[in-house]
Amino acid sequence: MIEYVKGSLTDITPAYAVVEANGVGYGLNISLNTYSAIQGKKDTKLWVYEAIREDAYVLFGFATKQEREMFLLLITVSGVGANTARVILSEMTVNELCNVISSGNDRVLKGVKGIGLKTAQRIIVDLKDKILSSGVAQEISMAGGSQGTIDYGVKDEAVGALTMLGFSPAPSAKIVVAILKEHPDMSVEQVIKAALKQIK
């Protein structure tokens, strides 16, 4: 079993990274959160999950052990495969996902591409206790410090508006969340205006 890969980051896209270690290039599927954490670096260390199926051998890479832990919890939920778990972790940080699950906010989860209401509710029911017993929530709350809480209603409206303007939902969500962390009292209109200045 591969625990992690450490080496030169030779290629990277928002969904895929190639890490060369001892002359071998490992291709790993990554989330947007991991992409943000490692882009621009020459060397990196990615925690690995190996998905071995009859027709494929796929590696998933994570910038932190906590993100991999959350990924492993997500794929235990019926109806959530590895790619869906990666999409969820591209839309939200582990900290945000812990908050969504612990507060029972199925509306936010249902907003993730490929997640229906039943799956969203199943994730919350299945993982509410597990995120605490596994230690993911505690590790994150300690590492996360005193980040402000996000108004998900404002976040959803702002991301929806940006999507209608033609911007991709996942990158838009990342920018909107970052803005709301710094300015939790901003209105939807103010968030959209601020996001438009940052979106390339």
Side-chain angles (χ1 to χ4, degrees):
M1 180 182 166
I2 301 172
E3 179 68 5
Y4 62 82
V5 175
K6 186 177 181 182
S8 304
L9 185 60
T10 58
D11 192 19
I12 185 169
T13 71
Y16 194 76
V18 177
V19 179
E20 185 181 327
N22 298 320
V24 179
Y26 294 90
L28 303 110
N29 292 290
I30 59 172
S31 70
L32 272 177
N33 284 317
T34 290
Y35 172 73
S36 297
I38 67 173
Q39 71 173 134
K41 291 185 176 180
K42 286 184 179 177
D43 298 306
T44 191
K45 175 181 178 179
L46 292 178
W47 300 90
V48 174
Y49 168 72
E50 299 170 85
I52 302 168
R53 301 192 297 267
E54 281 183 25
D55 59 339
Y57 175 62
V58 184
L59 299 178
F60 290 84
F62 307 92
T64 65
K65 224 172 176 178
Q66 289 82 10
E67 189 184 15
R68 182 178 67 172
E69 191 68 36
M70 181 56 87
F71 176 91
L72 291 173
L73 287 174
L74 284 168
I75 61 175
T76 64
V77 178
S78 175
V80 179
N83 281 321
T84 303
R86 180 171 63 150
V87 171
I88 295 170
L89 288 167
S90 290
E91 292 261 354
M92 288 173 264
T93 65
V94 178
N95 200 2
E96 288 156 4
L97 185 53
C98 282
N99 288 336
V100 167
I101 292 169
S102 59
S103 64
N105 196 337
D106 56 20
R107 188 173 54 84
V108 172
L109 275 172
K110 197 167 76 73
V112 177
K113 187 182 177 185
I115 299 286
L117 181 60
K118 281 188 178 177
T119 305
Q121 290 170 339
R122 204 178 295 127
I123 290 170
I124 289 165
V125 170
D126 286 7
L127 301 188
K128 207 165 192 174
D129 294 331
K130 285 182 184 175
I131 58 171
L132 291 170
S133 61
S134 70
V136 172
Q138 286 128 339
E139 288 176 57
I140 289 300
S141 58
M142 287 191 300
S146 57
Q147 291 178 330
T149 53
I150 290 167
D151 184 330
Y152 280 99
V154 172
K155 180 220 163 196
D156 290 351
E157 276 190 62
V159 173
L162 290 164
T163 305
M164 284 170 66
L165 289 169
F167 298 103
S168 298
S172 299
K174 231 175 156 38
I175 289 167
V176 167
V177 165
I179 291 165
L180 284 170
K181 275 182 182 171
E182 282 187 44
H183 310 283
D185 299 326
M186 270 191 171
S187 68
V188 175
E189 190 182 8
Q190 289 170 322
V191 171
I192 292 166
K193 283 180 179 175
L196 287 170
K197 289 176 185 172
Q198 294 183 38
I199 293 174
K200 297 282 185 285

